Amino acid sequence: MQRKAKRLSTLVLASIAFFSAAPSKAPAQTYPIDCAILLCLSGGWPTSVPCSRARAEFIRRITPWPVEPPLQIWRCPMSASYNFNDEFRQAVQIYDILYNEPNALPQSFPQQPRISTFEAQLATAHKNGIERRTLPEGLALHLAQEQADIDISGPEFNFVRSIRVFDVRYARQHESGQDGDCNRSATVVLGTYGTQGDFSWVRSSITALPVAHLGLESWGQNCPSIYHRSVFVDWRDFEGNYGFEQVNY
């Protein structure tokens, strides 16, 4: 695993070198934007046209409404091969570390979506005219597109799981006009990534917001009037460096 992580580090540096030296006219539309987000995020968003474009899309997705997962790794088919030029092919060799078998060959793009045996049985039954009924309790289908198409459970992909999206949908603090009590109400949800890059939302709170978040510093102190809505995303790159973005609305 240590050898694998070192290899990833080398490839990340190679991708940074490529993006930093990229010409002013980037090879637009020659790669999925989420693959660029994955590479640029891991390398700390190096200065380049491809990474600037990737970061702009990363931020656009958290700009309400709606709030989307900033990295949609299921849109980056990492077990695929592309017709990149030689320089870009060197940069995206980061994907090589994702194969379980050392001699495994990449599949041609587009990759056919994977379906489980249970899904296949349902499809066959439906084709044969058998009515599709409610799934057994506790069983739910999970689309392959909602997670990475290869195994990213290793520590070298912790930078993906480090991404947090705090959606402060509503935060209000004010004094009651009659009795002088301080009224506070807020709705905060937190979006996080699972082991394989799957994204989900859970309820959160104002107290869970990172220190870097701005706009609610006076929350709970006396009772200054506050009305705040924002989306805050933070992450750590492959080297562990902290980064964040905040969009107020």
Side-chain angles (χ1 to χ4, degrees):
M1 185 62 69
Q2 183 178 6
R3 180 180 178 184
K4 191 176 184 180
K6 288 182 178 178
R7 186 181 178 194
L8 175 60
S9 179
T10 301
L11 293 170
V12 168
L13 291 175
S15 69
I16 294 173
F18 166 77
F19 284 132
S20 298
S24 58
K25 290 186 178 180
Q29 305 303 318
T30 59
Y31 53 88
I33 190 67
D34 283 279
C35 295
I37 291 174
L38 183 69
L39 281 168
C40 297
L41 174 66
S42 68
W45 300 107
T47 303
S48 70
V49 172
C51 284
S52 294
R53 183 180 294 116
R55 184 160 186 162
E57 176 63 14
F58 185 86
I59 297 172
R60 184 202 66 77
R61 291 174 177 176
I62 65 165
T63 303
W65 278 88
V67 179
E68 305 174 54
L71 169 62
Q72 299 174 16
I73 198 169
W74 49 91
R75 297 183 184 273
C76 177
M78 289 178 281
S79 58
S81 61
Y82 299 87
N83 295 321
F84 293 128
N85 59 47
D86 290 339
E87 286 184 304
F88 198 78
R89 184 179 294 109
Q90 291 177 2
V92 298
Q93 288 302 312
I94 186 175
Y95 301 139
D96 285 350
I97 62 102
L98 305 173
Y99 301 123
N100 294 324
E101 297 296 331
N103 298 322
L105 296 176
Q107 300 180 14
S108 298
F109 182 79
Q111 181 188 15
Q112 295 299 318
R114 297 171 297 177
I115 60 174
S116 68
T117 302
F118 185 77
E119 288 176 273
Q121 291 173 349
L122 285 178
T124 301
H126 184 63
K127 183 177 180 181
N128 294 335
I130 301 175
E131 182 181 0
R132 297 182 66 172
R133 299 182 181 276
T134 304
L135 293 175
E137 183 177 356
L139 178 61
L141 300 182
H142 184 79
L143 298 178
Q145 294 92 328
E146 294 178 351
Q147 60 182 11
D149 63 352
I150 43 74
D151 182 17
I152 64 166
S153 60
E156 63 274 13
F157 279 96
N158 282 344
F159 70 90
V160 173
R161 290 177 287 274
S162 76
I163 303 172
R164 301 182 299 176
V165 183
F166 291 88
D167 185 359
V168 185
R169 297 178 177 176
Y170 175 84
R172 185 178 183 184
Q173 174 180 275
H174 64 97
E175 285 189 1
S176 172
Q178 296 180 347
D179 51 23
D181 291 340
C182 189
N183 297 325
R184 298 185 184 94
S185 58
T187 298
V188 182
V189 294
L190 170 62
T192 57
Y193 288 85
T195 304
Q196 298 301 332
D198 46 301
F199 187 84
S200 61
W201 294 100
V202 295
R203 291 295 298 269
S204 188
S205 65
I206 298 296
T207 56
L209 291 171
V211 175
H213 181 276
L214 298 177
L216 291 170
E217 296 78 13
S218 299
W219 185 268
Q221 299 177 11
N222 300 321
C223 198
S225 179
I226 295 175
Y227 183 82
H228 180 85
R229 302 176 73 184
S230 66
V231 180
F232 182 95
V233 57
D234 66 357
W235 64 86
R236 291 192 179 275
D237 65 20
F238 179 75
E239 298 294 336
N241 300 308
Y242 183 72
F244 66 90
E245 288 285 348
Q246 179 172 334
V247 177
N248 297 329
Y249 65 101

